[in-house]
Amino acid sequence: MSVGRRLARLAAHLQDPRKVAAFQRLCGVEGPSGWAGAGQRGPVANGGPAGGQAHPAGNTAGNGAVPGAAGPPRPWSRRPRRNSLTEEEDGSQEFATRSRFLYYLFSLGTELGNELFYILFFPFCIWNLDAWLGRRLIIIWVWVMYLGQCTKDVIRWPRPASPPVVKLEVFYNSEYSMPSTHAMSGTAIPLALLLLSYGRWQYPFMFGLILALCWCSLVCCSRIYMGMHSILDVIAGFLYAILILVVFHPVVDLIDNFNLTYKYAPLIIISLHLALGIFSFTLDTWSTSRGDTAQILGCGAGVACGSHVNYITGLQLDPPPHALPLSLSSLTVTVFGKAILRLLIGVIVLLLTKVAMKKATIPLACKIFRIPHDDVRKARQRMEVELPYRYITYGMVGFSLMFIVPCLFHFIGLS
């Protein structure tokens, strides 16, 4: 058998949704009663459930079980996690899990690739640890996520079929599956953090390496546990992120210096990111991935422009050269308290900025392009609304992160 055929067979084996379902069963996840039988009716597009009525997940009798007899721990029933744009009922059946620990552990893992994590991690890094490091992490994160989202819309592989897979969340069920952008982010951020911080910060290399591997493993395994990706999707995302890191890590200093020092950098940055957003919107029909792409590009543009304004106004966020290498040994209760206070105040400002810009941009875009905005969910599925709303809103969030909030800290004495 040729190498090509062997690789094709291996890829088909790793893409098999039954492997995902087997991992879920190993972790104690159970679908509704009759779930395995439902799988014989065949899956629908993009991981949706097959037709037919599903029974409640709490019914665990059958298969020779004797009512009242001692058995395994009682399953804990849950509904799939959703978001505000999740309209379809795909994968909305109740599921059960016999291990709350694994459910919460892998929920934490999957949150390491969601907006809540980003809006806490990047600000904390920039305001409290090292702005130099935070800017470079965001540059790498933007390119990793942009290329990952666009690749999804080019390859167009569906999510794992359900059944046999149990969907524990439907946040991104309308997106395609290959590669896993959670796996890409969960690989790129910890590895980039290690590459950029080692030597600049004082810590044992093995500690950083073990932390990066645990972080990456948790995120990757969580996507299989949640039923959102096949094993092949996760492996491809992991390898793709490493490839992008190999390309961008050597030039990240050049990109950051350009953003800071070049006179026309803001104009070029805004135009480039906007053009990349428009291109990504032409790849496929609406899905949450298009909005996420515009959101990521807007955030990257806002951070870059804020960094440039910091540079030309002399607002110095980077630690002075004589303080290098940095160390956590000087951490005191006062320093920790100020860090938490900065994070709390700053994140509130970012959330207020996001809400205010959302309230302003969606109706304005609908008015300019004459799109009815009675149903905001449907209006946001139009490129004329989604692209400017996400790009402008998260551009302002990124700008606030780098310039407005640090100015506020300087004004109130929290610098």
Side-chain angles (χ1 to χ4, degrees):
M1 184 181 295
S2 67
V3 175
R5 288 185 179 181
R6 289 180 180 177
L7 290 176
R9 287 185 61 181
L10 177 61
H13 179 76
L14 294 174
Q15 198 182 7
D16 189 348
R18 290 174 295 183
K19 300 294 183 292
V20 178
F23 180 77
Q24 290 182 312
R25 289 194 300 271
L26 181 67
C27 296
V29 176
E30 300 174 356
S33 288
W35 192 248
Q40 297 173 1
R41 292 190 285 271
V44 297
N46 208 21
Q53 183 72 23
H55 299 288
N59 182 11
T60 58
N63 292 329
V66 179
R74 186 177 180 181
W76 181 47
S77 297
R78 299 283 292 175
R79 299 286 295 183
R81 293 148 33 105
R82 312 175 69 86
N83 64 11
S84 61
L85 289 180
T86 305
E87 184 177 17
E88 70 276 0
E89 293 299 322
D90 294 349
S92 62
Q93 293 91 344
E94 226 179 50
F95 65 88
T97 177
R98 295 186 181 277
S99 174
R100 296 194 184 199
F101 170 74
L102 288 179
Y103 176 77
Y104 284 120
L105 176 66
F106 287 124
S107 293
L108 171 64
T110 206
E111 283 299 332
L112 293 178
N114 288 343
E115 181 180 350
L116 176 62
F117 167 72
Y118 297 138
I119 208 168
L120 293 174
F121 173 74
F122 289 132
F124 184 84
C125 183
I126 290 171
W127 299 333
N128 295 316
L129 295 178
D130 188 354
W132 180 95
L133 177 62
R135 291 196 308 271
R136 284 158 173 77
L137 283 176
I138 290 175
I139 289 170
I140 291 174
W141 169 72
V142 167
W143 281 106
V144 164
M145 294 299 292
Y146 176 76
L147 293 172
Q149 295 284 24
C150 288
T151 303
K152 278 186 178 183
D153 288 338
V154 171
I155 297 177
R156 301 184 184 183
W157 283 7
R159 298 281 184 184
S162 175
V165 172
V166 183
K167 294 295 178 68
L168 276 65
E169 71 170 34
V170 287
F171 280 120
Y172 308 104
N173 209 36
S174 62
E175 294 182 16
Y176 294 109
S177 186
M178 168 63 83
S180 167
T181 46
H182 270 76
M184 293 180 68
S185 171
T187 300
I189 291 179
L191 290 182
L193 186 61
L194 176 63
L195 291 171
L196 293 169
S197 65
Y198 186 69
R200 185 175 175 87
W201 283 78
Q202 291 180 334
Y203 61 85
F205 178 78
M206 285 306 299
F207 171 78
L209 181 60
I210 291 172
L211 177 62
L213 292 177
C214 290
W215 183 336
C216 177
S217 300
L218 179 60
V219 176
C220 290
C221 290
S222 74
R223 302 314 288 160
I224 302 173
Y225 176 87
M226 292 290 173
M228 298 305 292
H229 286 286
S230 69
I231 298 173
L232 182 62
D233 298 337
V234 170
I235 293 174
F238 171 79
L239 295 176
Y240 196 11
I242 290 178
L243 175 62
I244 296 171
L245 267 178
V246 169
V247 174
F248 278 94
H249 179 256
V251 298
V252 70
D253 285 338
L254 294 175
I255 296 173
D256 186 57
N257 289 333
F258 171 83
N259 293 343
L260 292 177
T261 61
Y262 187 62
K263 182 178 180 180
Y264 300 107
L267 179 61
I268 295 173
I269 291 164
I270 293 172
S271 302
L272 174 62
H273 284 68
L274 185 59
L276 291 173
I278 293 172
F279 170 75
S280 70
F281 270 59
T282 65
L283 294 177
D284 195 53
T285 56
W286 182 87
S287 73
T288 52
S289 113
R290 299 201 321 179
D292 289 345
T293 303
Q295 176 176 317
I296 291 162
L297 290 169
C299 184
V303 167
C305 291
S307 303
H308 181 81
V309 175
N310 286 346
Y311 179 80
I312 63 176
T313 58
L315 181 61
Q316 182 60 257
L317 301 183
D318 296 357
H322 65 78
L324 301 178
L326 302 170
S327 173
L328 293 175
S329 60
S330 59
L331 182 64
T332 63
V333 174
T334 303
V335 171
F336 180 76
K338 289 183 69 174
I340 296 301
L341 187 59
R342 276 194 293 266
L343 183 65
L344 180 63
I345 295 174
V347 168
I348 290 175
V349 173
L350 297 185
L351 292 177
L352 290 175
T353 302
K354 175 185 171 182
V355 171
M357 296 306 300
K358 179 179 178 180
K359 293 288 186 182
T361 53
I362 293 179
L364 181 61
C366 289
K367 184 175 182 180
I368 292 174
F369 296 103
R370 299 180 181 179
I371 296 172
H373 62 276
D374 298 333
D375 189 340
V376 175
R377 179 186 289 142
K378 289 191 177 298
R380 284 175 56 182
Q381 295 182 8
R382 298 283 297 272
M383 183 185 79
E384 301 92 328
V385 175
E386 184 81 339
L387 180 57
Y389 149 59
R390 296 270 193 162
Y391 189 81
I392 296 173
T393 297
Y394 285 90
M396 281 303 302
V397 169
F399 186 79
S400 299
L401 165 64
M402 285 306 304
F403 180 69
I404 295 177
V405 173
C407 285
L408 174 63
F409 292 157
H410 183 74
F411 179 75
I412 62 178
L414 271 179
S415 298

